[in-house]
Coordinates of all heavy atoms in Angstrom, one line a residue:
D1 N 18.2 -11.5 -0.4 CA 18.3 -11.6 1.1 C 18.8 -10.3 1.8 O 18.7 -10.2 3.0 CB 19.3 -12.8 1.4 CG 18.7 -14.1 1.1 OD1 17.4 -14.2 1.0 OD2 19.4 -15.1 0.9
D2 N 19.5 -9.5 1.0 CA 20.1 -8.3 1.6 C 19.2 -7.1 1.5 O 19.6 -6.0 1.8 CB 21.5 -8.1 1.1 CG 21.5 -7.8 -0.4 OD1 20.5 -8.1 -1.1 OD2 22.5 -7.3 -0.9
A3 N 18.0 -7.2 0.9 CA 17.1 -6.1 0.7 C 16.6 -5.5 2.0 O 16.3 -6.3 2.9 CB 15.9 -6.5 -0.2
E4 N 16.4 -4.2 2.1 CA 15.9 -3.6 3.3 C 14.4 -3.8 3.4 O 13.8 -3.7 4.5 CB 16.3 -2.1 3.3 CG 17.7 -1.9 3.5 CD 18.1 -0.4 3.6 OE1 17.2 0.4 3.9 OE2 19.2 -0.1 3.3
M5 N 13.7 -3.9 2.2 CA 12.3 -4.1 2.2 C 11.8 -5.1 1.2 O 12.6 -5.4 0.2 CB 11.6 -2.7 1.8 CG 11.6 -1.6 2.8 SD 10.6 -0.3 2.1 CE 11.7 1.1 2.5
T6 N 10.7 -5.7 1.4 CA 10.1 -6.6 0.4 C 9.6 -5.7 -0.8 O 9.6 -4.5 -0.7 CB 8.9 -7.3 0.9 OG1 7.8 -6.4 1.2 CG2 9.2 -8.1 2.2
Y7 N 9.3 -6.4 -1.9 CA 8.8 -5.6 -3.1 C 7.6 -4.8 -2.7 O 7.4 -3.7 -3.0 CB 8.5 -6.6 -4.2 CG 9.6 -7.2 -4.9 CD1 9.4 -8.4 -5.6 CD2 10.9 -6.7 -4.9 CE1 10.5 -9.0 -6.3 CE2 12.0 -7.3 -5.5 CZ 11.8 -8.4 -6.2 OH 12.8 -9.0 -6.9
F8 N 6.7 -5.5 -1.9 CA 5.5 -4.7 -1.5 C 5.8 -3.6 -0.6 O 5.3 -2.5 -0.7 CB 4.4 -5.7 -0.9 CG 3.2 -4.9 -0.6 CD1 2.2 -4.7 -1.6 CD2 2.9 -4.5 0.7 CE1 1.0 -4.0 -1.3 CE2 1.7 -3.8 0.9 CZ 0.8 -3.5 -0.1
G9 N 6.7 -3.9 0.4 CA 7.1 -2.8 1.3 C 7.6 -1.6 0.6 O 7.3 -0.5 0.9
R10 N 8.5 -1.8 -0.4 CA 9.0 -0.7 -1.1 C 7.9 0.0 -1.9 O 7.9 1.2 -1.9 CB 10.1 -1.2 -2.1 CG 10.7 0.0 -2.9 CD 11.9 -0.4 -3.6 NE 13.0 -0.4 -2.6 CZ 13.8 -1.5 -2.4 NH1 13.6 -2.5 -3.1 NH2 14.7 -1.4 -1.5
A11 N 7.1 -0.8 -2.6 CA 6.0 -0.2 -3.4 C 5.0 0.6 -2.5 O 4.6 1.7 -2.9 CB 5.3 -1.3 -4.2
F12 N 4.7 0.1 -1.3 CA 3.8 0.8 -0.5 C 4.5 2.0 0.3 O 4.0 3.1 0.2 CB 3.2 -0.2 0.5 CG 2.1 0.4 1.4 CD1 0.9 0.7 1.0 CD2 2.4 0.6 2.8 CE1 -0.1 1.3 1.8 CE2 1.5 1.2 3.6 CZ 0.2 1.5 3.1
F13 N 5.5 1.6 1.1 CA 6.0 2.6 2.1 C 6.9 3.7 1.3 O 6.9 4.9 1.7 CB 6.8 1.9 3.2 CG 6.0 1.2 4.1 CD1 6.0 -0.2 4.1 CD2 5.2 1.8 5.0 CE1 5.1 -0.9 4.9 CE2 4.3 1.1 5.9 CZ 4.3 -0.3 5.8
D14 N 7.8 3.2 0.4 CA 8.7 4.1 -0.2 C 8.3 4.8 -1.4 O 8.8 5.8 -1.8 CB 10.0 3.3 -0.5 CG 11.2 4.1 -0.8 OD1 11.3 5.2 -0.2 OD2 12.0 3.8 -1.7
E15 N 7.2 4.2 -2.1 CA 6.7 4.9 -3.3 C 5.4 5.4 -3.2 O 5.1 6.6 -3.3 CB 6.8 3.8 -4.4 CG 8.2 3.4 -4.7 CD 8.4 2.2 -5.7 OE1 7.3 1.7 -6.2 OE2 9.5 1.7 -5.8
A16 N 4.3 4.6 -2.9 CA 2.9 5.0 -2.9 C 2.6 6.0 -1.9 O 1.9 7.0 -2.1 CB 2.0 3.8 -2.9
L17 N 3.1 5.8 -0.6 CA 2.7 6.7 0.4 C 3.3 8.1 0.2 O 2.8 9.1 0.8 CB 3.2 6.2 1.8 CG 2.3 5.1 2.4 CD1 2.9 4.7 3.7 CD2 0.9 5.7 2.7
R18 N 4.3 8.3 -0.7 CA 4.8 9.6 -1.0 C 3.9 10.4 -1.9 O 4.0 11.6 -1.9 CB 6.2 9.4 -1.6 CG 7.3 8.8 -0.7 CD 8.6 8.7 -1.5 NE 9.6 7.9 -0.7 CZ 10.4 8.5 0.2 NH1 10.3 9.8 0.4 NH2 11.3 7.7 0.8
R19 N 3.1 9.7 -2.6 CA 2.2 10.5 -3.6 C 0.8 10.3 -3.4 O 0.0 11.1 -4.0 CB 2.7 10.1 -5.0 CG 2.3 8.6 -5.3 CD 2.8 8.3 -6.8 NE 2.4 6.9 -7.1 CZ 3.2 5.9 -6.8 NH1 4.4 6.1 -6.3 NH2 2.8 4.7 -7.1
E20 N 0.3 9.4 -2.6 CA -1.2 9.2 -2.5 C -1.8 10.0 -1.4 O -1.1 10.4 -0.5 CB -1.5 7.7 -2.3 CG -1.0 6.8 -3.5 CD -1.7 7.0 -4.8 OE1 -2.8 7.7 -4.7 OE2 -1.2 6.7 -5.8
Q21 N -3.1 10.0 -1.4 CA -3.9 10.8 -0.4 C -4.4 10.0 0.7 O -4.9 10.6 1.7 CB -5.0 11.5 -1.1 CG -4.6 12.4 -2.3 CD -3.8 13.6 -1.9 OE1 -4.1 14.2 -0.9 NE2 -2.7 13.9 -2.6
S22 N -4.3 8.7 0.7 CA -4.9 7.9 1.8 C -4.2 6.5 1.8 O -3.4 6.2 0.9 CB -6.4 7.6 1.5 OG -6.6 6.8 0.4
L23 N -4.3 5.9 2.9 CA -3.7 4.5 3.0 C -4.3 3.6 2.0 O -3.6 2.8 1.4 CB -3.9 4.0 4.5 CG -3.1 4.8 5.5 CD1 -3.6 4.3 6.9 CD2 -1.6 4.6 5.3
W24 N -5.6 3.6 1.8 CA -6.3 2.7 0.9 C -5.7 3.0 -0.6 O -5.4 2.1 -1.3 CB -7.8 2.9 0.9 CG -8.4 2.1 -0.2 CD1 -9.0 2.6 -1.3 CD2 -8.5 0.7 -0.4 NE1 -9.5 1.7 -2.2 CE2 -9.2 0.5 -1.6 CE3 -8.1 -0.4 0.4 CZ2 -9.4 -0.8 -2.0 CZ3 -8.3 -1.6 -0.1 CH2 -9.0 -1.9 -1.2
S25 N -5.6 4.2 -1.0 CA -5.1 4.5 -2.3 C -3.7 4.1 -2.5 O -3.2 3.7 -3.5 CB -5.4 6.0 -2.7 OG -4.7 6.8 -1.9
A26 N -2.9 4.3 -1.4 CA -1.5 3.8 -1.4 C -1.4 2.3 -1.6 O -0.6 1.8 -2.3 CB -0.7 4.3 -0.2
Y27 N -2.3 1.6 -0.8 CA -2.3 0.2 -0.9 C -2.7 -0.3 -2.4 O -2.0 -1.1 -3.0 CB -3.3 -0.4 0.0 CG -3.7 -1.8 -0.3 CD1 -2.8 -2.9 -0.1 CD2 -4.9 -2.1 -1.0 CE1 -3.2 -4.2 -0.5 CE2 -5.3 -3.4 -1.4 CZ -4.4 -4.4 -1.1 OH -4.8 -5.7 -1.5
A28 N -3.7 0.4 -2.9 CA -4.2 0.0 -4.3 C -3.1 0.3 -5.3 O -2.8 -0.5 -6.2 CB -5.4 0.8 -4.6
S29 N -2.4 1.4 -5.1 CA -1.3 1.7 -6.1 C -0.1 0.7 -5.9 O 0.4 0.3 -6.9 CB -0.8 3.1 -5.7 OG 0.3 3.5 -6.6
A30 N 0.2 0.4 -4.7 CA 1.3 -0.6 -4.5 C 0.9 -2.0 -5.0 O 1.7 -2.7 -5.6 CB 1.6 -0.7 -3.0
R31 N -0.3 -2.3 -4.8 CA -0.8 -3.6 -5.3 C -0.6 -3.7 -6.9 O -0.2 -4.7 -7.4 CB -2.2 -3.9 -4.9 CG -2.7 -5.2 -5.3 CD -4.1 -5.5 -4.7 NE -4.5 -6.8 -5.2 CZ -5.7 -7.4 -4.8 NH1 -6.5 -6.7 -4.0 NH2 -6.0 -8.5 -5.3
E32 N -1.0 -2.7 -7.5 CA -0.9 -2.6 -9.0 C 0.6 -2.7 -9.4 O 0.9 -3.3 -10.4 CB -1.6 -1.4 -9.6 CG -3.1 -1.5 -9.5 CD -3.7 -2.8 -10.1 OE1 -3.3 -3.1 -11.3 OE2 -4.5 -3.5 -9.5
A33 N 1.4 -1.9 -8.7 CA 2.8 -1.9 -9.0 C 3.4 -3.4 -8.8 O 4.2 -3.8 -9.7 CB 3.6 -1.0 -8.1
I34 N 3.0 -4.1 -7.8 CA 3.5 -5.4 -7.6 C 2.9 -6.4 -8.6 O 3.7 -7.2 -9.2 CB 3.0 -5.9 -6.2 CG1 3.8 -5.1 -5.1 CG2 3.3 -7.4 -6.0 CD1 5.3 -5.2 -5.2
R35 N 1.7 -6.2 -9.0 CA 1.2 -7.1 -10.1 C 2.0 -6.9 -11.4 O 2.3 -7.9 -12.1 CB -0.3 -6.7 -10.4 CG -1.3 -7.3 -9.4 CD -2.7 -6.9 -9.9 NE -3.6 -7.4 -8.9 CZ -4.9 -7.1 -8.8 NH1 -5.4 -6.4 -9.8 NH2 -5.7 -7.6 -7.9
A36 N 2.3 -5.6 -11.7 CA 3.0 -5.4 -13.0 C 4.4 -5.9 -12.9 O 4.9 -6.5 -13.8 CB 3.1 -3.9 -13.2
R37 N 5.1 -5.7 -11.7 CA 6.4 -6.2 -11.5 C 6.5 -7.7 -11.6 O 7.4 -8.3 -12.3 CB 7.0 -5.7 -10.2 CG 8.4 -6.1 -10.0 CD 9.0 -5.5 -8.7 NE 10.4 -5.8 -8.7 CZ 11.2 -5.1 -7.9 NH1 10.7 -4.2 -7.1 NH2 12.5 -5.4 -7.9
E38 N 5.6 -8.4 -11.0 CA 5.6 -9.8 -11.0 C 5.3 -10.4 -12.4 O 5.9 -11.4 -12.8 CB 4.5 -10.4 -10.0 CG 4.9 -10.2 -8.5 CD 3.8 -10.4 -7.5 OE1 2.6 -10.4 -7.9 OE2 4.2 -10.7 -6.4
A39 N 4.4 -9.8 -13.1 CA 4.1 -10.2 -14.5 C 5.3 -10.0 -15.4 O 5.6 -10.9 -16.2 CB 2.9 -9.4 -15.0
E40 N 5.9 -8.9 -15.2 CA 7.1 -8.5 -16.0 C 8.2 -9.5 -15.8 O 9.0 -9.9 -16.7 CB 7.6 -7.1 -15.7 CG 8.8 -6.7 -16.4 CD 9.2 -5.2 -16.0 OE1 8.4 -4.3 -16.3 OE2 10.2 -5.1 -15.4
Q41 N 8.4 -10.0 -14.5 CA 9.5 -10.9 -14.2 C 9.1 -12.4 -14.3 O 9.9 -13.2 -14.0 CB 10.0 -10.6 -12.8 CG 10.6 -9.2 -12.8 CD 11.2 -8.8 -11.4 OE1 11.0 -9.6 -10.4 NE2 11.8 -7.7 -11.3
G42 N 7.8 -12.6 -14.7 CA 7.4 -14.0 -14.8 C 7.0 -14.7 -13.5 O 7.0 -16.0 -13.5
Y43 N 6.8 -13.9 -12.4 CA 6.5 -14.6 -11.2 C 5.0 -14.9 -11.1 O 4.2 -14.1 -11.6 CB 6.9 -13.7 -10.0 CG 8.3 -13.5 -9.8 CD1 8.9 -12.2 -9.6 CD2 9.2 -14.6 -9.8 CE1 10.2 -12.0 -9.4 CE2 10.6 -14.4 -9.6 CZ 11.1 -13.1 -9.4 OH 12.4 -12.9 -9.2
E44 N 4.6 -15.8 -10.3 CA 3.2 -16.1 -10.0 C 2.7 -14.9 -9.1 O 3.4 -14.5 -8.2 CB 3.1 -17.4 -9.2 CG 1.7 -17.8 -8.9 CD 1.6 -19.2 -8.2 OE1 2.5 -20.0 -8.5 OE2 0.7 -19.4 -7.5
P45 N 1.5 -14.4 -9.4 CA 1.0 -13.3 -8.6 C 0.9 -13.6 -7.1 O 0.4 -14.6 -6.7 CB -0.4 -13.1 -9.2 CG -0.4 -13.7 -10.6 CD 0.6 -14.8 -10.4
S46 N 1.4 -12.7 -6.3 CA 1.3 -12.8 -4.9 C 0.0 -12.3 -4.3 O -0.4 -12.7 -3.2 CB 2.5 -12.1 -4.2 OG 2.4 -10.7 -4.5
D47 N -0.7 -11.5 -5.0 CA -2.0 -11.0 -4.7 C -2.1 -10.5 -3.2 O -2.8 -11.0 -2.4 CB -3.0 -12.1 -4.8 CG -4.5 -11.6 -4.8 OD1 -4.7 -10.4 -5.1 OD2 -5.4 -12.4 -4.4
P48 N -1.4 -9.3 -2.9 CA -1.4 -8.8 -1.6 C -2.8 -8.4 -1.2 O -3.7 -8.0 -2.0 CB -0.6 -7.5 -1.7 CG 0.2 -7.7 -2.9 CD -0.6 -8.6 -3.9
Q49 N -3.1 -8.6 0.1 CA -4.5 -8.4 0.6 C -4.6 -7.3 1.6 O -3.6 -7.0 2.2 CB -4.9 -9.7 1.4 CG -4.9 -10.9 0.5 CD -6.0 -10.9 -0.6 OE1 -7.1 -10.7 -0.3 NE2 -5.5 -11.1 -1.8
W50 N -5.7 -6.7 1.7 CA -6.0 -5.6 2.7 C -7.2 -6.0 3.4 O -8.3 -6.3 2.8 CB -6.2 -4.3 1.9 CG -6.8 -3.1 2.6 CD1 -8.1 -3.1 3.0 CD2 -6.2 -1.9 3.0 NE1 -8.3 -1.8 3.7 CE2 -7.1 -1.1 3.7 CE3 -4.9 -1.4 2.9 CZ2 -6.9 0.1 4.2 CZ3 -4.6 -0.2 3.5 CH2 -5.6 0.6 4.1
W51 N -7.1 -5.9 4.7 CA -8.3 -6.1 5.6 C -8.2 -5.2 6.7 O -7.2 -5.0 7.4 CB -8.4 -7.5 6.1 CG -9.7 -7.8 6.8 CD1 -10.8 -8.2 6.3 CD2 -9.9 -7.6 8.2 NE1 -11.8 -8.3 7.2 CE2 -11.3 -7.9 8.4 CE3 -9.2 -7.2 9.3 CZ2 -11.9 -7.8 9.7 CZ3 -9.8 -7.1 10.5 CH2 -11.1 -7.4 10.7
V52 N -9.4 -4.5 6.9 CA -9.4 -3.5 8.0 C -10.8 -3.7 8.7 O -11.8 -3.8 8.1 CB -9.4 -2.0 7.5 CG1 -9.6 -1.0 8.6 CG2 -8.1 -1.8 6.8
G53 N -10.8 -3.8 10.0 CA -12.0 -4.0 10.8 C -12.9 -2.8 10.8 O -12.4 -1.7 10.4
E54 N -14.1 -3.0 11.1 CA -15.1 -1.9 11.1 C -14.7 -0.7 11.9 O -14.8 0.5 11.5 CB -16.5 -2.4 11.5 CG -17.1 -3.4 10.6 CD -18.4 -3.9 11.1 OE1 -19.1 -3.1 12.0 OE2 -18.8 -5.0 10.8
S55 N -14.2 -0.9 13.1 CA -13.8 0.2 13.9 C -12.6 1.0 13.3 O -12.7 2.3 13.3 CB -13.4 -0.3 15.3 OG -14.4 -0.9 16.0
M56 N -11.7 0.3 12.8 CA -10.5 1.0 12.2 C -11.0 1.7 10.9 O -10.5 2.8 10.6 CB -9.4 0.0 11.9 CG -8.2 0.7 11.3 SD -7.7 2.1 12.4 CE -6.0 1.8 12.5
E57 N -11.8 1.1 10.2 CA -12.4 1.7 8.9 C -13.0 3.1 9.3 O -12.8 4.1 8.5 CB -13.4 0.8 8.2 CG -13.7 1.3 6.9 CD -14.5 0.3 6.0 OE1 -14.7 -0.8 6.5 OE2 -15.0 0.7 5.0
R58 N -13.7 3.1 10.4 CA -14.3 4.4 10.8 C -13.3 5.4 11.2 O -13.5 6.6 11.0 CB -15.3 4.2 11.9 CG -16.6 3.5 11.5 CD -17.7 3.5 12.6 NE -17.2 2.9 13.8 CZ -17.4 1.6 14.1 NH1 -18.0 0.8 13.2 NH2 -16.9 1.0 15.2
E59 N -12.2 4.9 11.8 CA -11.2 5.9 12.3 C -10.1 6.3 11.3 O -9.4 7.2 11.5 CB -10.4 5.1 13.5 CG -11.3 4.8 14.7 CD -11.8 6.1 15.3 OE1 -11.2 7.1 15.3 OE2 -13.0 6.0 15.8
L60 N -10.1 5.6 10.2 CA -9.0 5.9 9.2 C -9.1 7.3 8.7 O -8.0 7.9 8.5 CB -9.1 4.9 8.0 CG -8.3 3.6 8.1 CD1 -8.6 2.7 6.9 CD2 -6.9 3.9 8.3
P61 N -10.2 7.9 8.4 CA -10.1 9.3 7.9 C -9.5 10.3 8.9 O -8.7 11.1 8.5 CB -11.6 9.6 7.7 CG -12.3 8.4 7.4 CD -11.5 7.4 8.3
A62 N -9.7 10.1 10.2 CA -9.1 11.0 11.2 C -7.6 10.7 11.3 O -6.8 11.6 11.3 CB -9.7 10.8 12.5
L63 N -7.2 9.4 11.2 CA -5.8 9.0 11.2 C -5.1 9.6 10.0 O -4.0 10.2 10.1 CB -5.7 7.5 11.2 CG -4.3 7.0 11.1 CD1 -3.4 7.4 12.3 CD2 -4.3 5.5 11.0
E64 N -5.7 9.5 8.8 CA -5.1 10.0 7.6 C -4.9 11.5 7.6 O -3.9 12.0 7.1 CB -5.9 9.6 6.4 CG -5.8 8.1 6.2 CD -6.7 7.5 5.1 OE1 -7.7 8.2 4.8 OE2 -6.4 6.4 4.6
K65 N -5.8 12.2 8.3 CA -5.5 13.7 8.4 C -4.3 14.0 9.2 O -3.6 15.0 8.8 CB -6.8 14.3 9.1 CG -8.0 14.4 8.2 CD -9.1 15.1 8.9 CE -10.3 15.1 8.1 NZ -11.5 15.7 8.7
T66 N -3.9 13.2 10.1 CA -2.6 13.4 10.8 C -1.5 12.8 10.0 O -0.4 13.4 10.1 CB -2.7 12.7 12.2 OG1 -2.7 11.3 12.1 CG2 -3.8 13.2 13.1
L67 N -1.7 11.8 9.3 CA -0.6 11.2 8.5 C -0.3 12.0 7.2 O 0.9 12.1 6.7 CB -0.9 9.8 8.1 CG -1.0 8.8 9.2 CD1 -1.5 7.5 8.6 CD2 0.3 8.6 9.8
F68 N -1.3 12.7 6.6 CA -1.2 13.4 5.3 C -1.7 14.8 5.5 O -2.6 15.2 4.7 CB -2.0 12.6 4.2 CG -1.7 11.2 4.1 CD1 -2.6 10.2 4.5 CD2 -0.5 10.7 3.6 CE1 -2.3 8.8 4.4 CE2 -0.2 9.3 3.5 CZ -1.1 8.4 3.9
P69 N -1.2 15.6 6.4 CA -1.7 16.9 6.5 C -1.4 17.7 5.2 O -0.4 17.7 4.6 CB -0.8 17.5 7.7 CG 0.4 16.7 7.7 CD 0.0 15.3 7.2
G70 N -2.5 18.5 4.9 CA -2.3 19.3 3.7 C -2.5 18.6 2.3 O -2.6 19.2 1.3
R71 N -2.7 17.3 2.4 CA -2.8 16.6 1.1 C -4.3 16.2 0.8 O -4.6 15.7 -0.2 CB -2.0 15.3 1.1 CG -0.5 15.5 1.0 CD 0.1 14.2 0.4 NE 0.9 13.6 1.4 CZ 1.5 12.4 1.3 NH1 1.3 11.7 0.2 NH2 2.2 11.9 2.2
Q72 N -5.1 16.4 1.8 CA -6.5 16.0 1.6 C -7.4 17.0 0.9 O -7.4 18.1 1.0 CB -7.2 15.7 3.0 CG -6.3 14.7 3.8 CD -6.8 13.3 3.8 OE1 -8.0 13.1 3.6 NE2 -6.0 12.4 4.1

């Protein structure tokens, strides 16, 4: 109850976004980290989902250039 982030929030924002090159790859990395953590702790899989509309999917590369300058 006193955590600053959920398990997924920490895996995505605090861990994966620091090392990945895109939002999609950060999501995929965080999802795998959550799967491993839940399995290790005996939890039922939460199966985090990602959905992006067509317009945003087209805009993501430009957005990622501003979010991850020099990493692309």
Side-chain angles (χ1 to χ4, degrees):
D1 289 341
D2 61 345
E4 291 182 25
M5 291 187 225
T6 64
Y7 289 161
F8 184 82
R10 177 166 289 123
F12 182 75
F13 292 106
D14 194 38
E15 297 169 7
L17 280 178
R18 294 178 188 273
R19 65 179 181 274
E20 298 296 340
Q21 303 293 317
S22 71
L23 293 171
W24 172 251
S25 61
Y27 161 77
S29 178
R31 185 175 179 178
E32 289 306 312
I34 292 302
R35 281 183 184 172
R37 183 177 190 164
E38 290 170 339
E40 180 180 292
Q41 295 180 355
Y43 292 134
E44 185 176 330
S46 61
D47 194 27
Q49 303 293 304
W50 165 287
W51 187 87
V52 176
E54 290 178 26
S55 294
M56 185 52 134
E57 189 171 354
R58 285 190 302 273
E59 297 298 325
L60 273 178
L63 173 63
E64 288 171 340
K65 285 181 183 179
T66 65
L67 294 174
F68 308 109
R71 286 204 249 170
Q72 308 258 339

